Every structure is written in C-alpha cells, then in structure tokens.
Amino acid sequence: RNVNSDTLQEFEKVVLSFEEVRRIDSIRARELGAYVLVDIRISIDYFKNIQEGHDLTRDIRNQLKSKHDNISEVLIHLNPYYKNDQE
C-alpha cells in the first residue's frame, strides 16, 4: 500500500532540504506491515564524483530515517543534472 500524499510531501521536503539536490525526478513510498520503503530518483550536478554522490545519499537516508522511525529502507538513484535540463 502506498503512503498518503501528506507523508510523501514530508519526505520530499527532507530531500529538497539538501542544496545539492537539483530536482526530484520521482519519489514513491509504500508500507510493508509497520515499515515504509522509500524509492527516490534525484538529479544532482553532473560533475559530482562518486564519493560526493555516496555521501549525499547517505545523508538523505539518515535524515529521512531520523525524522520517520518507521522507514526501514531508502533506495536512492542518482541522475546527472545539466543546467539546460527541462524542469
């Protein structure tokens, strides 16, 4: 079962609080028993290296889990963002 739109908006606010995130390409979350699984696709500047991307996803994951203790898993996929991308 998908989480309600208010909860999804709360997740979006957390993700967008990170200035490195240029855009949320998609976000979805579903309940699995008492737990929530979150799947996010975000765009970050194309020139960021793997370590920077890794650190960002770790920080986003930790922030989401600290604000919502029922989140059991956060999967984050990174896409390259180019300044001329359509928003």
Coordinates of all heavy atoms in Angstrom, one line a residue:
R1 N 0.8 -1.2 0.0 CA 0.0 0.0 0.0 C 0.9 1.2 0.0 O 1.8 1.3 0.8 CB -0.9 0.0 1.2 CG -1.9 1.0 1.3 CD -2.8 0.8 2.5 NE -2.2 1.7 3.6 CZ -2.8 1.9 4.7 NH1 -3.9 1.3 5.0 NH2 -2.3 2.7 5.6
N2 N 0.6 2.2 -0.9 CA 1.3 3.4 -0.9 C 1.0 4.3 0.3 O -0.1 4.3 0.8 CB 1.0 4.2 -2.2 CG 1.5 3.5 -3.5 OD1 2.4 2.7 -3.4 ND2 0.8 3.8 -4.6
V3 N 2.0 5.1 0.7 CA 1.8 6.1 1.8 C 0.9 7.2 1.3 O 0.8 7.5 0.1 CB 3.1 6.6 2.4 CG1 4.0 5.5 2.9 CG2 3.9 7.4 1.4
N4 N 0.3 7.9 2.2 CA -0.6 9.0 1.8 C 0.2 10.2 1.3 O 1.4 10.3 1.5 CB -1.5 9.4 2.9 CG -0.8 10.0 4.1 OD1 0.1 10.9 4.0 ND2 -1.1 9.5 5.3
S5 N -0.4 11.1 0.6 CA 0.3 12.2 -0.1 C 0.9 13.2 0.9 O 2.0 13.8 0.6 CB -0.7 13.0 -1.0 OG -1.8 13.5 -0.3
D6 N 0.3 13.4 2.1 CA 0.9 14.2 3.1 C 2.3 13.7 3.6 O 3.3 14.4 3.7 CB 0.0 14.4 4.3 CG -1.2 15.2 4.0 OD1 -1.2 16.0 3.0 OD2 -2.2 15.1 4.8
T7 N 2.4 12.4 3.8 CA 3.6 11.8 4.2 C 4.7 11.9 3.1 O 5.8 12.2 3.3 CB 3.4 10.3 4.6 OG1 2.4 10.2 5.6 CG2 4.7 9.6 5.0
L8 N 4.2 11.6 1.8 CA 5.1 11.8 0.7 C 5.7 13.2 0.6 O 6.9 13.4 0.3 CB 4.4 11.3 -0.6 CG 5.2 10.8 -1.7 CD1 6.1 9.7 -1.3 CD2 4.4 10.4 -2.9
Q9 N 4.8 14.2 0.8 CA 5.3 15.6 0.8 C 6.3 15.8 1.9 O 7.3 16.6 1.7 CB 4.1 16.5 0.9 CG 3.3 16.6 -0.4 CD 2.1 17.6 -0.2 OE1 1.8 18.1 0.8 NE2 1.5 17.8 -1.4
E10 N 6.1 15.2 3.1 CA 7.1 15.4 4.1 C 8.5 14.8 3.7 O 9.5 15.4 3.9 CB 6.7 14.6 5.4 CG 5.5 15.3 6.1 CD 5.0 14.5 7.3 OE1 5.9 13.8 7.9 OE2 3.9 14.6 7.6
F11 N 8.5 13.6 3.0 CA 9.7 13.0 2.5 C 10.3 14.0 1.5 O 11.6 14.2 1.5 CB 9.4 11.7 1.9 CG 8.9 10.6 2.8 CD1 8.4 9.4 2.3 CD2 9.0 10.8 4.2 CE1 7.9 8.4 3.1 CE2 8.5 9.8 5.0 CZ 8.0 8.6 4.5
E12 N 9.5 14.6 0.6 CA 10.0 15.5 -0.4 C 10.7 16.7 0.2 O 11.8 17.1 -0.3 CB 8.9 15.9 -1.3 CG 8.4 14.9 -2.3 CD 7.2 15.4 -3.1 OE1 6.8 16.6 -3.0 OE2 6.7 14.6 -3.9
K13 N 10.1 17.2 1.3 CA 10.7 18.4 1.9 C 12.1 18.0 2.5 O 13.0 18.9 2.4 CB 9.8 18.9 3.1 CG 8.6 19.6 2.6 CD 7.8 20.1 3.8 CE 6.5 20.7 3.3 NZ 5.6 21.1 4.4
V14 N 12.3 16.9 3.0 CA 13.6 16.4 3.6 C 14.6 16.4 2.4 O 15.7 16.9 2.5 CB 13.5 15.1 4.3 CG1 14.8 14.5 4.6 CG2 12.6 15.2 5.6
V15 N 14.2 15.7 1.3 CA 15.1 15.6 0.2 C 15.5 16.9 -0.3 O 16.7 17.2 -0.6 CB 14.5 14.7 -0.9 CG1 15.4 14.6 -2.1 CG2 14.2 13.3 -0.4
L16 N 14.5 17.8 -0.5 CA 14.8 19.1 -1.1 C 15.6 20.1 -0.2 O 16.0 21.1 -0.6 CB 13.5 19.8 -1.6 CG 12.9 19.1 -2.8 CD1 11.5 19.7 -3.1 CD2 13.8 19.1 -4.0
S17 N 15.7 19.7 1.1 CA 16.4 20.5 2.1 C 17.9 20.4 1.8 O 18.7 21.2 2.3 CB 16.1 20.1 3.5 OG 16.7 18.9 3.8
F18 N 18.3 19.5 1.0 CA 19.8 19.3 0.6 C 20.0 20.1 -0.7 O 19.4 19.9 -1.7 CB 20.1 17.9 0.4 CG 20.1 17.1 1.7 CD1 18.9 16.5 2.2 CD2 21.3 16.8 2.4 CE1 18.9 15.8 3.3 CE2 21.3 16.1 3.5 CZ 20.1 15.6 4.0
E19 N 20.9 21.1 -0.5 CA 21.1 22.1 -1.7 C 21.7 21.4 -2.9 O 21.6 21.9 -4.0 CB 21.9 23.2 -1.2 CG 23.4 22.9 -0.8 CD 24.2 24.1 -0.4 OE1 23.6 25.0 0.2 OE2 25.4 24.1 -0.6
E20 N 22.3 20.2 -2.7 CA 22.9 19.5 -3.8 C 21.8 18.9 -4.7 O 22.1 18.6 -5.9 CB 23.9 18.4 -3.4 CG 25.0 18.9 -2.6 CD 24.8 18.9 -1.1 OE1 23.6 18.8 -0.6 OE2 25.7 18.9 -0.3
V21 N 20.7 18.7 -4.2 CA 19.6 18.1 -5.0 C 19.0 19.2 -5.9 O 18.4 20.1 -5.5 CB 18.5 17.5 -4.1 CG1 17.3 17.0 -4.9 CG2 19.0 16.4 -3.2
R22 N 19.2 18.9 -7.2 CA 18.7 19.9 -8.2 C 17.2 19.6 -8.5 O 16.5 20.6 -8.9 CB 19.5 19.8 -9.5 CG 20.9 20.2 -9.3 CD 21.0 21.6 -8.9 NE 22.4 22.0 -8.8 CZ 22.9 23.0 -8.1 NH1 22.0 23.7 -7.4 NH2 24.1 23.3 -8.0
R23 N 16.8 18.4 -8.4 CA 15.4 18.0 -8.8 C 15.1 16.6 -8.2 O 16.0 15.8 -8.2 CB 15.3 18.0 -10.3 CG 14.0 17.7 -10.9 CD 13.9 17.8 -12.4 NE 14.9 16.8 -13.0 CZ 15.7 17.1 -14.0 NH1 15.6 18.3 -14.6 NH2 16.5 16.2 -14.5
I24 N 13.9 16.5 -7.8 CA 13.4 15.1 -7.5 C 12.7 14.6 -8.8 O 11.7 15.2 -9.3 CB 12.3 15.1 -6.4 CG1 13.0 15.5 -5.1 CG2 11.7 13.7 -6.2 CD1 12.1 15.6 -3.9
D25 N 13.2 13.6 -9.4 CA 12.7 13.0 -10.6 C 11.5 12.1 -10.4 O 10.5 12.1 -11.1 CB 13.8 12.3 -11.4 CG 14.9 13.2 -11.8 OD1 14.6 14.3 -12.3 OD2 16.1 12.8 -11.6
S26 N 11.6 11.4 -9.3 CA 10.4 10.6 -8.8 C 10.6 10.2 -7.4 O 11.8 10.1 -6.9 CB 10.2 9.4 -9.7 OG 11.2 8.4 -9.5
I27 N 9.5 10.1 -6.7 CA 9.6 9.6 -5.3 C 8.4 8.8 -5.0 O 7.3 9.2 -5.4 CB 9.7 10.8 -4.3 CG1 9.9 10.3 -2.9 CG2 8.6 11.7 -4.4 CD1 10.3 11.3 -1.9
R28 N 8.5 7.7 -4.4 CA 7.4 6.8 -4.0 C 7.7 6.1 -2.8 O 8.9 5.9 -2.4 CB 7.0 5.9 -5.2 CG 8.1 5.0 -5.6 CD 7.7 4.2 -6.8 NE 8.8 3.3 -7.2 CZ 8.8 2.3 -8.0 NH1 7.6 2.0 -8.6 NH2 9.8 1.7 -8.3
A29 N 6.7 5.8 -2.0 CA 6.9 5.1 -0.8 C 5.7 4.1 -0.6 O 4.6 4.5 -0.9 CB 7.1 6.0 0.4
R30 N 6.0 3.0 0.0 CA 4.9 2.0 0.3 C 5.1 1.4 1.6 O 6.2 1.3 2.1 CB 4.9 1.0 -0.8 CG 6.1 0.2 -1.0 CD 6.1 -0.6 -2.3 NE 7.3 -1.4 -2.4 CZ 8.5 -1.0 -2.8 NH1 8.7 0.3 -3.1 NH2 9.5 -1.8 -2.9
E31 N 4.0 1.1 2.2 CA 4.0 0.4 3.5 C 4.1 -1.1 3.3 O 3.5 -1.7 2.5 CB 2.7 0.8 4.2 CG 2.6 2.2 4.6 CD 1.2 2.6 5.2 OE1 0.3 1.7 5.2 OE2 1.1 3.7 5.7
L32 N 4.9 -1.6 4.2 CA 5.1 -3.1 4.3 C 5.0 -3.5 5.7 O 5.9 -3.4 6.5 CB 6.5 -3.5 3.7 CG 6.8 -5.0 3.6 CD1 5.8 -5.6 2.6 CD2 8.2 -5.2 3.1
G33 N 3.7 -3.8 6.1 CA 3.5 -4.0 7.5 C 3.6 -2.7 8.3 O 3.0 -1.7 7.9
A34 N 4.4 -2.7 9.3 CA 4.6 -1.5 10.1 C 5.7 -0.6 9.5 O 6.0 0.5 10.1 CB 4.9 -1.9 11.5
Y35 N 6.3 -1.0 8.5 CA 7.5 -0.3 7.9 C 7.2 0.3 6.6 O 6.3 0.0 5.9 CB 8.7 -1.3 7.8 CG 9.1 -1.9 9.1 CD1 8.8 -3.1 9.5 CD2 9.8 -1.1 10.0 CE1 9.1 -3.7 10.7 CE2 10.2 -1.6 11.2 CZ 9.9 -2.9 11.6 OH 10.2 -3.4 12.8
V36 N 8.0 1.3 6.2 CA 7.9 2.0 5.0 C 9.2 1.9 4.2 O 10.3 2.0 4.7 CB 7.6 3.5 5.3 CG1 7.6 4.3 4.0 CG2 6.3 3.7 6.0
L37 N 9.0 1.6 2.9 CA 10.1 1.5 1.9 C 10.0 2.7 1.0 O 8.9 3.0 0.5 CB 10.0 0.2 1.1 CG 9.8 -1.1 1.9 CD1 9.6 -2.2 0.9 CD2 11.0 -1.3 2.8
V38 N 11.1 3.4 0.8 CA 11.1 4.7 0.1 C 12.0 4.5 -1.1 O 13.2 4.0 -1.0 CB 11.6 5.9 0.9 CG1 11.5 7.2 0.1 CG2 10.7 6.0 2.2
D39 N 11.6 4.9 -2.3 CA 12.3 4.8 -3.5 C 12.4 6.2 -4.2 O 11.3 6.8 -4.5 CB 11.6 3.8 -4.5 CG 12.4 3.6 -5.8 OD1 13.6 4.0 -5.9 OD2 11.8 2.9 -6.7
I40 N 13.6 6.7 -4.3 CA 13.7 8.1 -4.8 C 14.7 8.2 -6.0 O 15.7 7.5 -6.0 CB 14.3 9.0 -3.7 CG1 13.5 8.9 -2.4 CG2 14.4 10.5 -4.1 CD1 14.2 9.5 -1.2
R41 N 14.4 9.0 -6.9 CA 15.3 9.3 -8.1 C 15.5 10.8 -8.0 O 14.5 11.6 -8.1 CB 14.7 8.9 -9.4 CG 14.6 7.4 -9.6 CD 14.0 7.0 -10.9 NE 14.0 5.5 -11.0 CZ 15.0 4.8 -11.6 NH1 16.0 5.4 -12.1 NH2 14.9 3.5 -11.6
I42 N 16.8 11.2 -7.9 CA 17.1 12.6 -7.8 C 18.1 13.0 -8.8 O 18.9 12.1 -9.3 CB 17.5 13.1 -6.4 CG1 18.8 12.3 -6.0 CG2 16.4 13.0 -5.4 CD1 19.4 12.8 -4.7
S43 N 18.2 14.2 -9.2 CA 19.2 14.7 -10.1 C 20.1 15.6 -9.3 O 19.7 16.5 -8.5 CB 18.6 15.5 -11.3 OG 17.9 14.7 -12.2
I44 N 21.5 15.4 -9.5 CA 22.5 16.3 -8.9 C 23.4 16.7 -10.1 O 23.4 16.1 -11.1 CB 23.3 15.6 -7.8 CG1 24.1 14.4 -8.3 CG2 22.3 15.1 -6.7 CD1 25.0 13.7 -7.3
D45 N 24.2 17.7 -9.8 CA 25.1 18.2 -10.8 C 26.0 17.1 -11.4 O 26.5 16.3 -10.7 CB 26.0 19.3 -10.3 CG 25.3 20.6 -10.0 OD1 24.4 20.9 -10.8 OD2 25.6 21.3 -9.0
Y46 N 26.0 17.1 -12.8 CA 26.7 16.0 -13.5 C 28.2 15.9 -13.1 O 28.8 14.8 -13.2 CB 26.6 16.2 -15.0 CG 27.4 17.4 -15.5 CD1 28.7 17.2 -15.9 CD2 26.9 18.7 -15.5 CE1 29.5 18.3 -16.4 CE2 27.6 19.8 -15.9 CZ 28.9 19.6 -16.4 OH 29.7 20.7 -16.8
F47 N 28.8 16.9 -12.6 CA 30.3 16.9 -12.3 C 30.6 16.4 -10.9 O 31.7 16.2 -10.6 CB 30.9 18.3 -12.5 CG 30.2 19.4 -11.8 CD1 30.5 19.6 -10.4 CD2 29.3 20.2 -12.4 CE1 29.8 20.6 -9.7 CE2 28.6 21.2 -11.7 CZ 28.9 21.4 -10.4
K48 N 29.6 16.0 -10.1 CA 29.8 15.5 -8.8 C 30.5 14.1 -9.0 O 30.1 13.3 -9.8 CB 28.5 15.3 -8.0 CG 27.8 16.6 -7.7 CD 28.5 17.4 -6.6 CE 27.7 18.6 -6.3 NZ 28.4 19.5 -5.3
N49 N 31.4 13.8 -8.1 CA 32.1 12.5 -8.2 C 31.3 11.4 -7.3 O 30.3 11.7 -6.7 CB 33.6 12.6 -7.8 CG 33.8 12.9 -6.3 OD1 33.0 12.5 -5.4 ND2 34.8 13.8 -6.0
I50 N 31.8 10.2 -7.5 CA 31.1 9.1 -6.8 C 31.0 9.3 -5.3 O 30.0 9.0 -4.7 CB 31.7 7.8 -7.2 CG1 31.5 7.5 -8.7 CG2 31.2 6.6 -6.3 CD1 32.3 6.3 -9.2
Q51 N 32.1 9.7 -4.7 CA 32.2 9.9 -3.3 C 31.1 11.0 -2.8 O 30.4 10.8 -1.8 CB 33.6 10.3 -2.8 CG 33.7 10.4 -1.3 CD 33.5 9.1 -0.6 OE1 34.3 8.1 -0.9 NE2 32.6 8.9 0.3
E52 N 31.0 12.1 -3.6 CA 30.1 13.1 -3.2 C 28.6 12.6 -3.4 O 27.8 12.9 -2.5 CB 30.3 14.3 -4.2 CG 31.6 15.1 -3.9 CD 31.9 16.1 -4.9 OE1 31.8 15.8 -6.2 OE2 32.2 17.2 -4.6
G53 N 28.4 11.8 -4.4 CA 27.0 11.2 -4.6 C 26.7 10.3 -3.4 O 25.6 10.2 -2.9
H54 N 27.7 9.4 -3.1 CA 27.5 8.5 -2.0 C 27.3 9.2 -0.7 O 26.3 8.8 0.1 CB 28.8 7.6 -1.9 CG 28.8 6.8 -0.6 ND1 28.1 5.6 -0.6 CD2 29.4 6.9 0.6 CE1 28.3 5.0 0.6 NE2 29.1 5.8 1.3
D55 N 28.0 10.2 -0.4 CA 27.8 11.0 0.9 C 26.5 11.6 0.9 O 25.8 11.6 2.0 CB 28.9 12.0 1.0 CG 30.3 11.4 1.3 OD1 30.4 10.2 1.5 OD2 31.3 12.2 1.1
L56 N 26.0 12.2 -0.2 CA 24.7 12.8 -0.3 C 23.6 11.8 0.0 O 22.7 12.1 0.8 CB 24.5 13.5 -1.6 CG 23.2 14.1 -1.8 CD1 22.9 15.2 -0.8 CD2 23.0 14.6 -3.3
T57 N 23.7 10.7 -0.7 CA 22.6 9.7 -0.5 C 22.6 9.2 1.0 O 21.5 9.0 1.5 CB 22.7 8.5 -1.5 OG1 24.0 7.9 -1.3 CG2 22.5 9.0 -2.9
R58 N 23.8 9.0 1.5 CA 23.8 8.6 2.9 C 23.2 9.6 3.9 O 22.4 9.3 4.7 CB 25.3 8.4 3.4 CG 25.5 7.9 4.8 CD 26.9 8.2 5.3 NE 27.1 9.6 5.2 CZ 28.3 10.1 4.8 NH1 29.3 9.3 4.5 NH2 28.5 11.4 4.7
D59 N 23.5 10.9 3.6 CA 22.9 11.9 4.5 C 21.4 12.1 4.3 O 20.7 12.2 5.3 CB 23.6 13.3 4.1 CG 25.1 13.3 4.5 OD1 25.5 12.4 5.3 OD2 25.8 14.2 4.0
I60 N 20.9 11.9 3.1 CA 19.5 12.0 2.8 C 18.8 10.8 3.5 O 17.8 11.0 4.2 CB 19.2 12.0 1.3 CG1 19.6 13.3 0.7 CG2 17.7 11.7 1.1 CD1 19.5 13.3 -0.8
R61 N 19.4 9.6 3.4 CA 18.8 8.4 4.0 C 18.8 8.6 5.5 O 17.7 8.3 6.2 CB 19.7 7.2 3.6 CG 19.2 5.9 4.2 CD 20.1 4.7 3.7 NE 20.1 4.6 2.3 CZ 21.1 4.9 1.5 NH1 22.2 5.4 2.0 NH2 21.0 4.8 0.2
N62 N 19.9 9.0 6.1 CA 19.9 9.2 7.6 C 18.9 10.2 8.1 O 18.3 10.1 9.1 CB 21.3 9.6 8.0 CG 22.3 8.5 7.9 OD1 21.9 7.3 7.7 ND2 23.6 8.8 7.9
Q63 N 18.8 11.3 7.3 CA 17.8 12.4 7.7 C 16.4 11.9 7.6 O 15.6 12.1 8.5 CB 18.0 13.6 6.8 CG 17.2 14.8 7.2 CD 17.7 15.5 8.4 OE1 18.7 15.1 9.0 NE2 17.0 16.5 8.8
L64 N 16.1 11.2 6.6 CA 14.7 10.6 6.5 C 14.4 9.6 7.6 O 13.4 9.7 8.2 CB 14.5 9.9 5.1 CG 14.3 10.7 3.9 CD1 14.4 10.0 2.6 CD2 12.9 11.4 4.0
K65 N 15.4 8.7 7.9 CA 15.2 7.8 8.9 C 15.1 8.4 10.3 O 14.4 7.9 11.2 CB 16.3 6.7 8.9 CG 16.1 5.7 7.8 CD 17.2 4.7 7.8 CE 16.8 3.4 7.1 NZ 17.7 2.3 7.3
S66 N 15.9 9.5 10.5 CA 15.8 10.1 11.9 C 14.5 10.9 12.1 O 14.0 11.0 13.2 CB 17.0 11.1 12.0 OG 16.8 12.3 11.3
K67 N 13.9 11.3 11.0 CA 12.6 12.1 11.1 C 11.4 11.1 11.1 O 10.3 11.5 11.6 CB 12.5 13.1 10.0 CG 13.4 14.3 10.2 CD 13.2 15.3 9.1 CE 14.1 16.5 9.3 NZ 13.6 17.4 10.4
H68 N 11.6 9.9 10.6 CA 10.5 8.9 10.4 C 11.0 7.6 10.8 O 11.6 6.9 10.0 CB 10.0 8.9 9.0 CG 9.5 10.2 8.5 ND1 8.2 10.7 8.7 CD2 10.2 11.2 7.8 CE1 8.1 11.9 8.2 NE2 9.2 12.3 7.6
D69 N 10.8 7.2 12.1 CA 11.4 6.0 12.6 C 10.8 4.7 12.0 O 11.3 3.6 12.3 CB 11.4 5.9 14.1 CG 10.0 6.0 14.7 OD1 9.0 6.2 14.0 OD2 9.9 6.0 15.9
N70 N 9.7 4.8 11.2 CA 9.1 3.6 10.6 C 9.7 3.3 9.2 O 9.3 2.3 8.6 CB 7.6 3.8 10.5 CG 7.1 4.9 9.7 OD1 7.9 5.9 9.5 ND2 5.9 4.9 9.2
I71 N 10.6 4.1 8.8 CA 11.2 3.9 7.5 C 12.3 2.8 7.7 O 13.2 2.9 8.5 CB 11.9 5.1 6.9 CG1 10.8 6.1 6.5 CG2 12.8 4.8 5.7 CD1 11.4 7.5 5.9
S72 N 12.2 1.7 6.9 CA 13.1 0.6 7.1 C 14.2 0.6 5.9 O 15.3 0.1 6.1 CB 12.4 -0.7 7.1 OG 11.8 -1.0 5.9
E73 N 13.8 1.2 4.8 CA 14.7 1.1 3.7 C 14.5 2.4 2.8 O 13.4 2.8 2.5 CB 14.6 -0.1 2.8 CG 15.6 -0.3 1.7 CD 15.5 -1.6 1.0 OE1 15.0 -2.6 1.6 OE2 15.9 -1.6 -0.1
V74 N 15.6 3.0 2.4 CA 15.6 4.1 1.4 C 16.5 3.8 0.3 O 17.7 3.6 0.5 CB 16.0 5.4 2.1 CG1 15.9 6.6 1.1 CG2 15.2 5.7 3.3
L75 N 16.0 3.7 -0.9 CA 16.8 3.4 -2.1 C 16.8 4.8 -2.9 O 15.8 5.3 -3.2 CB 16.1 2.4 -3.0 CG 17.0 1.3 -3.4 CD1 16.7 0.1 -2.5 CD2 16.7 0.9 -4.8
I76 N 18.0 5.2 -3.2 CA 18.2 6.5 -3.9 C 19.0 6.3 -5.1 O 20.1 5.8 -5.1 CB 18.9 7.6 -3.0 CG1 18.1 7.8 -1.7 CG2 19.0 8.9 -3.8 CD1 18.7 8.7 -0.7
H77 N 18.4 6.7 -6.3 CA 19.1 6.6 -7.6 C 19.5 8.0 -8.0 O 18.7 8.9 -7.9 CB 18.1 6.0 -8.6 CG 18.7 5.9 -10.0 ND1 19.5 4.9 -10.4 CD2 18.6 6.8 -11.0 CE1 19.8 5.2 -11.7 NE2 19.3 6.3 -12.0
L78 N 20.7 8.2 -8.4 CA 21.2 9.5 -8.8 C 21.2 9.6 -10.3 O 21.6 8.7 -11.0 CB 22.6 9.7 -8.3 CG 22.8 9.7 -6.8 CD1 24.3 9.9 -6.5 CD2 22.0 10.9 -6.2
N79 N 20.7 10.7 -10.8 CA 20.8 11.1 -12.2 C 21.6 12.3 -12.4 O 21.6 13.2 -11.5 CB 19.4 11.4 -12.8 CG 18.5 10.1 -12.8 OD1 18.9 9.1 -13.2 ND2 17.2 10.3 -12.4
P80 N 22.3 12.5 -13.5 CA 23.1 13.7 -13.7 C 22.2 14.9 -14.1 O 21.2 14.7 -14.9 CB 24.0 13.3 -14.9 CG 23.3 12.3 -15.7 CD 22.5 11.5 -14.6
Y81 N 22.5 16.0 -13.6 CA 21.7 17.2 -13.9 C 22.6 18.2 -14.7 O 23.7 18.5 -14.3 CB 21.3 17.9 -12.6 CG 20.6 19.2 -12.8 CD1 19.2 19.3 -13.1 CD2 21.3 20.4 -12.8 CE1 18.6 20.5 -13.4 CE2 20.6 21.6 -13.0 CZ 19.3 21.6 -13.3 OH 18.6 22.8 -13.5
Y82 N 22.1 18.6 -15.8 CA 22.7 19.6 -16.6 C 21.9 20.9 -16.6 O 20.7 20.8 -16.6 CB 22.9 19.1 -18.1 CG 23.7 17.9 -18.2 CD1 23.1 16.6 -18.1 CD2 25.1 17.9 -18.3 CE1 23.9 15.4 -18.2 CE2 25.9 16.8 -18.4 CZ 25.2 15.5 -18.3 OH 26.0 14.4 -18.4
K83 N 22.5 22.0 -16.5 CA 21.9 23.3 -16.3 C 20.7 23.5 -17.4 O 19.7 24.1 -17.1 CB 22.9 24.4 -16.4 CG 22.3 25.7 -15.8 CD 23.4 26.7 -15.6 CE 22.9 27.9 -14.8 NZ 23.5 28.0 -13.6
N84 N 20.9 23.0 -18.6 CA 19.8 23.2 -19.6 C 18.8 22.1 -19.6 O 17.9 22.1 -20.5 CB 20.5 23.3 -21.0 CG 21.2 22.0 -21.4 OD1 21.3 21.1 -20.6 ND2 21.7 21.9 -22.6
D85 N 18.8 21.2 -18.6 CA 17.7 20.2 -18.4 C 16.3 20.9 -18.3 O 16.3 22.0 -17.6 CB 17.9 19.3 -17.2 CG 18.8 18.2 -17.5 OD1 19.3 18.1 -18.6 OD2 19.1 17.4 -16.6
Q86 N 15.3 20.3 -18.8 CA 14.0 20.9 -18.6 C 13.5 20.5 -17.2 O 13.7 19.4 -16.8 CB 13.0 20.2 -19.7 CG 13.4 20.6 -21.1 CD 13.2 22.0 -21.4 OE1 12.2 22.6 -20.9 NE2 14.0 22.6 -22.2
E87 N 12.9 21.5 -16.6 CA 12.4 21.2 -15.2 C 11.0 20.8 -15.2 O 10.2 21.2 -16.0 CB 12.6 22.5 -14.3 CG 14.1 22.9 -14.3 CD 14.7 22.7 -12.9 OE1 14.0 22.4 -12.0 OE2 15.9 22.8 -12.8

